[in-house]
Amino acid sequence: LQRCHHPNVKRLVRKKSCLLQELRYITLSVSREAGLTEFVIPGNVCKQSYSRQKMSAEPTSQHNSTNVVTSEQFRLQLLDQIRELVWSLTPDGKRVVYLNNAAAAIYGELTPDLMENDDRWLGVIHPDDKLFIREQLNTIQDSGGFSHHFRVLRADDDERQLDAQFLLLRDHAGHPAQIAAMAHDSSERIQAQRSLTEAEAVYDALVENLPIKVLRKNKNGRFVFCNKTFCQALGLSMEDIIGKTDDDLFPPAIAAK
């Protein structure tokens, strides 16, 4: 049971429950839906002892084949539910052989074309990023994988920012089989950073040119910012003020205030 990741089983293990009927239901549902080929109920879990049971993913006389989900189908269904982009390429990195549902939000109307033509997925990458990815794909059999941030150019002129990881997968004989890749769409985060930087630049320009003295101190009373008006009043540059305290800049009587 510890090897099973079904949430209901994990809950029962944590509570050390011995509800036989629920365990039997979970056993059957996990094996049928997840395509497990083996599931064990130890005898010390329930009052009634059970031997090792083989739960085959192949259709049987008791179960209709339409109700059986293979392990491969289960994995693909899981991949289609996650928000990150997941895709796989041929060993040469030219053709896309799999894309999960997250691709539609990133590539838009270009998504159907990505699996139909060689190098199509590379064609929608920003020119400044494309050369590096090509070079890394050409050497991935030696490196085993790489990470890179690149931009995707959509048909609607929108630009998506991806943080991607590429990994070479090999078959049992050690030959290159596929290149697996996963990417996180960081477009919103990067846009938020840009907006914050622009807002800070506007704020700094505004404060710097105010005709009143503006300053900021940390919790230890040291100056961390002051505008031009404050510097002119003290006859010092900002570099001479930052990091100092009132005791460093003013006579004791004024600093005490």
Side-chain angles (χ1 to χ4, degrees), residues 205-220:
L206 177 64
V207 171
E208 184 66 22
N209 293 283
L210 285 175
I212 61 175
K213 304 179 186 68
V214 179
L215 57 96
R216 186 168 65 247
K217 299 178 182 179
N218 62 17
K219 62 181 181 180
N220 297 320

Side-chain angles (χ1 to χ4, degrees), residues 32-231:
R32 293 174 192 168
E33 297 176 12
L36 297 179
T37 58
E38 183 176 284
F39 194 91
V40 184
I41 303 180
N44 61 353
V45 173
C46 305
K47 294 181 180 180
Q48 184 175 354
S49 177
Y50 284 81
S51 60
R52 181 176 297 262
Q53 304 178 41
K54 299 290 184 176
M55 301 297 184
S56 174
E58 297 300 325
T60 65
S61 58
Q62 296 180 349
H63 307 293
N64 189 291
S65 60
T66 59
N67 295 326
V68 178
V69 180
T70 65
S71 297
E72 182 67 17
Q73 291 172 327
F74 182 68
R75 286 193 293 268
L76 294 179
Q77 290 176 8
L78 283 180
L79 291 177
D80 279 336
Q81 300 305 314
I82 64 177
R83 297 180 59 184
E84 278 70 26
L85 173 65
V86 178
W87 74 103
S88 60
L89 308 167
T90 52
D92 57 8
K94 292 184 176 181
R95 178 177 286 271
V96 176
V97 295
Y98 170 76
L99 271 172
N100 71 339
N101 288 341
I106 295 174
Y107 292 100
E109 62 185 59
L110 297 175
T111 305
D113 299 334
L114 298 180
M115 299 182 65
E116 296 180 359
N117 303 297
D118 287 358
D119 282 340
R120 178 57 175 158
W121 79 277
L122 282 169
V124 299
I125 295 178
H126 193 285
D128 294 342
D129 304 324
K130 190 181 305 182
L131 178 60
F132 178 85
I133 292 180
R134 283 187 181 275
E135 292 175 347
Q136 294 299 312
L137 289 174
N138 290 336
T139 60
I140 196 171
Q141 295 194 25
D142 297 324
S143 65
F146 65 96
S147 301
H148 189 57
H149 175 87
F150 64 92
R151 292 158 288 177
V152 169
L153 303 178
R154 293 163 44 117
D156 57 4
D157 295 330
D158 189 16
E159 183 180 281
R160 310 303 294 178
Q161 307 269 351
L162 300 181
D163 295 316
Q165 293 182 324
F166 296 80
L167 178 66
L168 178 66
L169 303 181
R170 299 181 180 273
D171 58 22
H172 295 298
H175 302 131
Q178 286 186 357
I179 298 175
M182 176 178 288
H184 174 71
D185 187 353
S186 56
S187 304
E188 294 183 1
R189 174 179 59 81
I190 292 177
Q191 182 58 44
Q193 290 176 341
R194 289 175 178 172
S195 299
L196 178 60
T197 301
E198 293 173 359
E200 288 176 342
V202 172
Y203 172 80
D204 291 342
L206 177 64
V207 171
E208 184 66 22
N209 293 283
L210 285 175
I212 61 175
K213 304 179 186 68
V214 179
L215 57 96
R216 186 168 65 247
K217 299 178 182 179
N218 62 17
K219 62 181 181 180
N220 297 320
R222 296 187 178 277
F223 289 90
V224 294
F225 173 79
C226 58
N227 68 346
K228 186 181 352 181
T229 304
F230 185 80
C231 293

